[in-house]
Amino acid sequence: MKKLNKLQSITFLAGGILMVIGAGCFTFMWQREMMCWVFLLGALMFSAMQIMQTYEGKSITITRLKNIMLFADIMFILSGFLMVDAVHVFLRSAFTNYMTYYQIIYNKWVLLLLIGAILEIYTMHRISHELSKEQHSSDE
């Protein structure tokens, strides 16, 4: 895996912290109008740095896991957009029926965040395992 430089690592860590702060404060109804944007900014920072951390090896497994991680990053960003929509209701005009909007869009950010978090945990664990296995086989 390509290592991130110091600024990229700080951006990656700050993005993760902003995501946690934004989601936590939004969930507990504190400053929702601002915290939705904090989460979205954190998701964009976190995802951008994770995408910049490329894999330069030949393992198909790690390449596949990086693609799953990219999908998790997309889930984080979409979760941020839906969180912003939960406050500002900008997607409401795309639906003719108010109930359809509530059934399909409103507060579905939680589901996307959960999917992204589960995929992220799985891929981080598996990539770490695969890289250590790859390192061990190259030492022999």
Short mmCIF file of all heavy atoms in Angstrom, two decimals, residues 80-124:
data_model
loop_
_atom_site.label_atom_id
_atom_site.label_comp_id
_atom_site.label_asym_id
_atom_site.label_seq_id
_atom_site.Cartn_x
_atom_site.Cartn_y
_atom_site.Cartn_z
N GLY A 80 -23.60 11.37 4.04
CA GLY A 80 -23.48 12.79 4.36
C GLY A 80 -24.48 13.64 3.60
O GLY A 80 -25.10 14.55 4.17
N PHE A 81 -24.66 13.35 2.32
CA PHE A 81 -25.64 14.10 1.53
C PHE A 81 -27.06 13.88 2.06
O PHE A 81 -27.85 14.82 2.14
CB PHE A 81 -25.58 13.72 0.05
CG PHE A 81 -24.44 14.36 -0.69
CD1 PHE A 81 -23.52 13.57 -1.36
CD2 PHE A 81 -24.28 15.73 -0.71
CE1 PHE A 81 -22.45 14.16 -2.03
CE2 PHE A 81 -23.22 16.32 -1.38
CZ PHE A 81 -22.31 15.53 -2.05
N LEU A 82 -27.38 12.65 2.43
CA LEU A 82 -28.71 12.39 2.97
C LEU A 82 -28.89 12.99 4.35
O LEU A 82 -30.00 13.38 4.73
CB LEU A 82 -29.00 10.89 3.00
CG LEU A 82 -29.20 10.22 1.63
CD1 LEU A 82 -29.50 8.75 1.80
CD2 LEU A 82 -30.29 10.92 0.84
N MET A 83 -27.80 13.11 5.10
CA MET A 83 -27.87 13.78 6.40
C MET A 83 -28.17 15.26 6.20
O MET A 83 -28.99 15.84 6.92
CB MET A 83 -26.54 13.61 7.14
CG MET A 83 -26.59 14.06 8.58
SD MET A 83 -24.99 13.90 9.41
CE MET A 83 -24.90 12.15 9.67
N VAL A 84 -27.53 15.87 5.21
CA VAL A 84 -27.81 17.28 4.89
C VAL A 84 -29.26 17.41 4.43
O VAL A 84 -29.96 18.36 4.81
CB VAL A 84 -26.82 17.81 3.82
CG1 VAL A 84 -27.25 19.17 3.30
CG2 VAL A 84 -25.41 17.87 4.39
N ASP A 85 -29.72 16.45 3.65
CA ASP A 85 -31.11 16.49 3.18
C ASP A 85 -32.09 16.33 4.33
O ASP A 85 -33.18 16.92 4.30
CB ASP A 85 -31.36 15.40 2.14
CG ASP A 85 -32.79 15.41 1.65
OD1 ASP A 85 -33.18 16.39 0.99
OD2 ASP A 85 -33.53 14.46 1.97
N ALA A 86 -31.73 15.58 5.35
CA ALA A 86 -32.62 15.41 6.51
C ALA A 86 -32.88 16.75 7.20
O ALA A 86 -33.94 16.95 7.79
CB ALA A 86 -32.03 14.41 7.49
N VAL A 87 -31.94 17.67 7.11
CA VAL A 87 -32.10 18.99 7.74
C VAL A 87 -32.73 19.98 6.76
O VAL A 87 -33.68 20.68 7.10
CB VAL A 87 -30.74 19.53 8.23
CG1 VAL A 87 -30.87 20.96 8.71
CG2 VAL A 87 -30.19 18.64 9.32
N HIS A 88 -32.21 20.03 5.54
CA HIS A 88 -32.61 21.08 4.59
C HIS A 88 -33.68 20.65 3.59
O HIS A 88 -34.20 21.48 2.86
CB HIS A 88 -31.37 21.59 3.86
CG HIS A 88 -30.36 22.17 4.80
ND1 HIS A 88 -30.54 23.36 5.44
CD2 HIS A 88 -29.16 21.70 5.21
CE1 HIS A 88 -29.49 23.61 6.20
NE2 HIS A 88 -28.64 22.61 6.09
N VAL A 89 -34.00 19.38 3.51
CA VAL A 89 -35.06 18.81 2.68
C VAL A 89 -34.99 19.30 1.22
O VAL A 89 -35.98 19.66 0.63
CB VAL A 89 -36.45 19.10 3.30
CG1 VAL A 89 -37.52 18.22 2.70
CG2 VAL A 89 -36.45 18.92 4.80
N PHE A 90 -33.79 19.29 0.64
CA PHE A 90 -33.66 19.78 -0.74
C PHE A 90 -34.09 18.76 -1.78
O PHE A 90 -34.37 19.13 -2.91
CB PHE A 90 -32.23 20.28 -1.02
CG PHE A 90 -31.17 19.24 -0.86
CD1 PHE A 90 -30.85 18.38 -1.90
CD2 PHE A 90 -30.45 19.13 0.31
CE1 PHE A 90 -29.88 17.43 -1.77
CE2 PHE A 90 -29.46 18.19 0.45
CZ PHE A 90 -29.17 17.33 -0.58
N LEU A 91 -34.18 17.48 -1.43
CA LEU A 91 -34.64 16.46 -2.38
C LEU A 91 -36.16 16.31 -2.41
O LEU A 91 -36.70 15.59 -3.23
CB LEU A 91 -34.00 15.10 -2.06
CG LEU A 91 -32.51 14.96 -2.35
CD1 LEU A 91 -32.02 13.59 -1.91
CD2 LEU A 91 -32.22 15.18 -3.81
N ARG A 92 -36.85 16.99 -1.52
CA ARG A 92 -38.31 16.88 -1.42
C ARG A 92 -38.99 17.28 -2.73
O ARG A 92 -39.98 16.68 -3.13
CB ARG A 92 -38.81 17.74 -0.25
CG ARG A 92 -40.30 17.96 -0.16
CD ARG A 92 -41.04 16.64 -0.01
NE ARG A 92 -42.47 16.84 -0.08
CZ ARG A 92 -43.20 16.60 -1.15
NH1 ARG A 92 -42.66 16.17 -2.25
NH2 ARG A 92 -44.50 16.79 -1.13
N SER A 93 -38.45 18.27 -3.41
CA SER A 93 -39.09 18.74 -4.64
C SER A 93 -39.01 17.73 -5.78
O SER A 93 -39.74 17.84 -6.76
CB SER A 93 -38.45 20.06 -5.08
OG SER A 93 -37.07 19.87 -5.34
N ALA A 94 -38.16 16.71 -5.66
CA ALA A 94 -38.05 15.69 -6.71
C ALA A 94 -39.19 14.66 -6.63
O ALA A 94 -39.34 13.86 -7.54
CB ALA A 94 -36.71 14.98 -6.60
N PHE A 95 -39.97 14.70 -5.57
CA PHE A 95 -41.05 13.74 -5.37
C PHE A 95 -42.40 14.45 -5.40
O PHE A 95 -42.56 15.52 -4.84
CB PHE A 95 -40.89 13.03 -4.02
CG PHE A 95 -39.68 12.15 -3.96
CD1 PHE A 95 -38.46 12.67 -3.55
CD2 PHE A 95 -39.76 10.82 -4.31
CE1 PHE A 95 -37.33 11.87 -3.50
CE2 PHE A 95 -38.63 10.01 -4.26
CZ PHE A 95 -37.42 10.54 -3.86
N THR A 96 -43.36 13.82 -6.06
CA THR A 96 -44.69 14.41 -6.11
C THR A 96 -45.48 14.12 -4.84
O THR A 96 -46.31 14.91 -4.43
CB THR A 96 -45.47 13.87 -7.33
OG1 THR A 96 -45.51 12.45 -7.25
CG2 THR A 96 -44.82 14.32 -8.62
N ASN A 97 -45.22 12.99 -4.25
CA ASN A 97 -45.94 12.58 -3.05
C ASN A 97 -45.00 12.72 -1.84
O ASN A 97 -43.89 12.20 -1.84
CB ASN A 97 -46.40 11.14 -3.19
CG ASN A 97 -47.26 10.68 -2.04
OD1 ASN A 97 -47.41 11.37 -1.04
ND2 ASN A 97 -47.83 9.49 -2.20
N TYR A 98 -45.48 13.40 -0.82
CA TYR A 98 -44.67 13.63 0.38
C TYR A 98 -44.34 12.32 1.10
O TYR A 98 -43.23 12.16 1.62
CB TYR A 98 -45.44 14.57 1.32
CG TYR A 98 -44.57 15.30 2.30
CD1 TYR A 98 -43.62 16.23 1.86
CD2 TYR A 98 -44.69 15.07 3.66
CE1 TYR A 98 -42.82 16.89 2.76
CE2 TYR A 98 -43.89 15.74 4.56
CZ TYR A 98 -42.95 16.65 4.10
OH TYR A 98 -42.15 17.31 4.99
N MET A 99 -45.27 11.39 1.14
CA MET A 99 -45.02 10.10 1.80
C MET A 99 -43.96 9.28 1.08
O MET A 99 -43.18 8.58 1.72
CB MET A 99 -46.33 9.29 1.90
CG MET A 99 -47.27 9.78 2.96
SD MET A 99 -46.52 9.89 4.60
CE MET A 99 -46.24 8.18 4.96
N THR A 100 -43.91 9.37 -0.23
CA THR A 100 -42.88 8.66 -0.99
C THR A 100 -41.50 9.17 -0.62
O THR A 100 -40.57 8.38 -0.44
CB THR A 100 -43.12 8.83 -2.51
OG1 THR A 100 -44.45 8.42 -2.82
CG2 THR A 100 -42.13 8.02 -3.30
N TYR A 101 -41.38 10.48 -0.47
CA TYR A 101 -40.10 11.08 -0.04
C TYR A 101 -39.69 10.52 1.31
O TYR A 101 -38.54 10.13 1.52
CB TYR A 101 -40.23 12.60 0.01
CG TYR A 101 -39.08 13.28 0.72
CD1 TYR A 101 -37.85 13.41 0.10
CD2 TYR A 101 -39.24 13.75 2.02
CE1 TYR A 101 -36.80 14.01 0.75
CE2 TYR A 101 -38.19 14.36 2.68
CZ TYR A 101 -36.96 14.49 2.05
OH TYR A 101 -35.92 15.07 2.69
N TYR A 102 -40.61 10.48 2.26
CA TYR A 102 -40.29 9.97 3.59
C TYR A 102 -39.95 8.49 3.59
O TYR A 102 -39.09 8.05 4.34
CB TYR A 102 -41.44 10.24 4.58
CG TYR A 102 -41.33 11.60 5.19
CD1 TYR A 102 -42.13 12.64 4.73
CD2 TYR A 102 -40.43 11.86 6.21
CE1 TYR A 102 -42.02 13.90 5.29
CE2 TYR A 102 -40.31 13.12 6.76
CZ TYR A 102 -41.11 14.14 6.30
OH TYR A 102 -40.99 15.37 6.84
N GLN A 103 -40.61 7.72 2.75
CA GLN A 103 -40.35 6.29 2.70
C GLN A 103 -39.03 5.95 2.02
O GLN A 103 -38.37 4.99 2.39
CB GLN A 103 -41.48 5.57 1.99
CG GLN A 103 -42.77 5.56 2.78
CD GLN A 103 -43.93 5.01 1.98
OE1 GLN A 103 -43.87 4.92 0.76
NE2 GLN A 103 -44.99 4.64 2.68
N ILE A 104 -38.63 6.74 1.02
CA ILE A 104 -37.45 6.42 0.24
C ILE A 104 -36.20 7.16 0.72
O ILE A 104 -35.13 6.57 0.80
CB ILE A 104 -37.70 6.70 -1.26
CG1 ILE A 104 -38.79 5.77 -1.77
CG2 ILE A 104 -36.43 6.53 -2.07
CD1 ILE A 104 -39.20 6.05 -3.18
N ILE A 105 -36.30 8.43 1.03
CA ILE A 105 -35.13 9.27 1.28
C ILE A 105 -34.92 9.66 2.74
O ILE A 105 -33.84 9.50 3.28
CB ILE A 105 -35.20 10.56 0.42
CG1 ILE A 105 -35.27 10.23 -1.07
CG2 ILE A 105 -34.06 11.49 0.71
CD1 ILE A 105 -34.02 9.63 -1.64
N TYR A 106 -35.93 10.16 3.37
CA TYR A 106 -35.78 10.83 4.67
C TYR A 106 -35.20 9.90 5.73
O TYR A 106 -35.69 8.82 5.97
CB TYR A 106 -37.12 11.40 5.14
CG TYR A 106 -36.99 12.31 6.33
CD1 TYR A 106 -36.46 13.58 6.18
CD2 TYR A 106 -37.35 11.90 7.59
CE1 TYR A 106 -36.33 14.43 7.26
CE2 TYR A 106 -37.23 12.73 8.68
CZ TYR A 106 -36.71 14.00 8.51
OH TYR A 106 -36.56 14.82 9.58
N ASN A 107 -34.12 10.33 6.35
CA ASN A 107 -33.39 9.62 7.42
C ASN A 107 -32.83 8.26 7.00
O ASN A 107 -32.59 7.41 7.86
CB ASN A 107 -34.25 9.47 8.67
CG ASN A 107 -34.13 10.66 9.58
OD1 ASN A 107 -33.20 11.45 9.46
ND2 ASN A 107 -35.06 10.79 10.49
N LYS A 108 -32.60 8.06 5.74
CA LYS A 108 -31.96 6.82 5.28
C LYS A 108 -30.43 6.93 5.37
O LYS A 108 -29.73 5.99 5.04
CB LYS A 108 -32.38 6.48 3.85
CG LYS A 108 -33.86 6.22 3.69
CD LYS A 108 -34.37 5.11 4.58
CE LYS A 108 -35.78 4.75 4.31
NZ LYS A 108 -36.77 5.40 5.11
N TRP A 109 -29.92 8.07 5.83
CA TRP A 109 -28.47 8.24 5.99
C TRP A 109 -27.92 7.23 6.98
O TRP A 109 -26.79 6.77 6.83
CB TRP A 109 -28.13 9.66 6.42
CG TRP A 109 -28.63 10.04 7.78
CD1 TRP A 109 -29.83 10.60 8.09
CD2 TRP A 109 -27.95 9.87 9.03
NE1 TRP A 109 -29.94 10.79 9.44
CE2 TRP A 109 -28.79 10.36 10.04
CE3 TRP A 109 -26.70 9.37 9.38
CZ2 TRP A 109 -28.43 10.34 11.39
CZ3 TRP A 109 -26.34 9.36 10.71
CH2 TRP A 109 -27.20 9.84 11.70
N VAL A 110 -28.72 6.82 7.94
CA VAL A 110 -28.27 5.87 8.96
C VAL A 110 -27.95 4.53 8.31
O VAL A 110 -26.93 3.90 8.63
CB VAL A 110 -29.34 5.70 10.05
CG1 VAL A 110 -28.92 4.69 11.08
CG2 VAL A 110 -29.67 7.03 10.70
N LEU A 111 -28.79 4.09 7.40
CA LEU A 111 -28.58 2.82 6.72
C LEU A 111 -27.30 2.85 5.89
O LEU A 111 -26.49 1.91 5.95
CB LEU A 111 -29.79 2.50 5.83
CG LEU A 111 -29.73 1.22 5.03
CD1 LEU A 111 -29.70 0.02 5.97
CD2 LEU A 111 -30.91 1.13 4.10
N LEU A 112 -27.09 3.93 5.14
CA LEU A 112 -25.89 4.02 4.32
C LEU A 112 -24.63 4.11 5.19
O LEU A 112 -23.59 3.53 4.84
CB LEU A 112 -25.98 5.23 3.39
CG LEU A 112 -27.09 5.18 2.35
CD1 LEU A 112 -27.05 6.42 1.47
CD2 LEU A 112 -27.00 3.93 1.52
N LEU A 113 -24.72 4.81 6.31
CA LEU A 113 -23.59 4.90 7.22
C LEU A 113 -23.27 3.54 7.81
O LEU A 113 -22.10 3.15 7.91
CB LEU A 113 -23.87 5.91 8.33
CG LEU A 113 -22.77 6.13 9.36
CD1 LEU A 113 -21.50 6.63 8.71
CD2 LEU A 113 -23.23 7.12 10.42
N LEU A 114 -24.27 2.78 8.16
CA LEU A 114 -24.06 1.44 8.70
C LEU A 114 -23.42 0.52 7.67
O LEU A 114 -22.47 -0.21 7.99
CB LEU A 114 -25.40 0.87 9.18
CG LEU A 114 -25.35 -0.53 9.78
CD1 LEU A 114 -24.53 -0.53 11.06
CD2 LEU A 114 -26.75 -1.04 10.05
N ILE A 115 -23.91 0.55 6.45
CA ILE A 115 -23.32 -0.27 5.39
C ILE A 115 -21.86 0.11 5.17
O ILE A 115 -20.98 -0.75 5.09
CB ILE A 115 -24.13 -0.13 4.07
CG1 ILE A 115 -25.51 -0.76 4.23
CG2 ILE A 115 -23.39 -0.74 2.89
CD1 ILE A 115 -26.47 -0.43 3.10
N GLY A 116 -21.60 1.42 5.08
CA GLY A 116 -20.22 1.88 4.88
C GLY A 116 -19.31 1.48 6.02
O GLY A 116 -18.18 1.05 5.81
N ALA A 117 -19.80 1.61 7.25
CA ALA A 117 -18.96 1.28 8.42
C ALA A 117 -18.65 -0.22 8.48
O ALA A 117 -17.51 -0.61 8.75
CB ALA A 117 -19.67 1.72 9.69
N ILE A 118 -19.64 -1.06 8.20
CA ILE A 118 -19.40 -2.51 8.22
C ILE A 118 -18.41 -2.91 7.13
O ILE A 118 -17.47 -3.68 7.38
CB ILE A 118 -20.73 -3.28 8.09
CG1 ILE A 118 -21.55 -3.12 9.37
CG2 ILE A 118 -20.50 -4.75 7.78
CD1 ILE A 118 -22.96 -3.63 9.28
N LEU A 119 -18.59 -2.37 5.94
CA LEU A 119 -17.67 -2.68 4.85
C LEU A 119 -16.26 -2.16 5.16
O LEU A 119 -15.26 -2.82 4.85
CB LEU A 119 -18.17 -2.09 3.53
CG LEU A 119 -19.39 -2.76 2.93
CD1 LEU A 119 -19.85 -2.01 1.70
CD2 LEU A 119 -19.11 -4.21 2.60
N GLU A 120 -16.18 -0.99 5.76
CA GLU A 120 -14.89 -0.40 6.10
C GLU A 120 -14.15 -1.26 7.13
O GLU A 120 -12.95 -1.53 6.99
CB GLU A 120 -15.09 1.02 6.65
CG GLU A 120 -13.83 1.79 6.84
CD GLU A 120 -13.22 2.23 5.53
OE1 GLU A 120 -13.93 2.40 4.53
OE2 GLU A 120 -11.98 2.42 5.52
N ILE A 121 -14.85 -1.69 8.16
CA ILE A 121 -14.22 -2.54 9.18
C ILE A 121 -13.75 -3.86 8.56
O ILE A 121 -12.62 -4.30 8.81
CB ILE A 121 -15.21 -2.80 10.34
CG1 ILE A 121 -15.44 -1.52 11.12
CG2 ILE A 121 -14.71 -3.91 11.25
CD1 ILE A 121 -16.58 -1.59 12.11
N TYR A 122 -14.59 -4.45 7.74
CA TYR A 122 -14.23 -5.72 7.10
C TYR A 122 -13.00 -5.55 6.20
O TYR A 122 -12.05 -6.33 6.31
CB TYR A 122 -15.41 -6.25 6.29
CG TYR A 122 -15.05 -7.41 5.40
CD1 TYR A 122 -14.81 -8.66 5.94
CD2 TYR A 122 -14.93 -7.24 4.03
CE1 TYR A 122 -14.46 -9.74 5.13
CE2 TYR A 122 -14.59 -8.30 3.20
CZ TYR A 122 -14.35 -9.54 3.76
OH TYR A 122 -14.00 -10.59 2.96
N THR A 123 -13.02 -4.55 5.33
CA THR A 123 -11.91 -4.41 4.39
C THR A 123 -10.61 -4.00 5.09
O THR A 123 -9.54 -4.48 4.70
CB THR A 123 -12.25 -3.38 3.28
OG1 THR A 123 -12.60 -2.14 3.88
CG2 THR A 123 -13.37 -3.88 2.39
N MET A 124 -10.69 -3.16 6.11
CA MET A 124 -9.46 -2.77 6.82
C MET A 124 -8.82 -3.99 7.48
O MET A 124 -7.60 -4.17 7.43
CB MET A 124 -9.76 -1.70 7.87
CG MET A 124 -10.11 -0.36 7.29
SD MET A 124 -8.80 0.36 6.33
CE MET A 124 -7.81 1.04 7.62
#
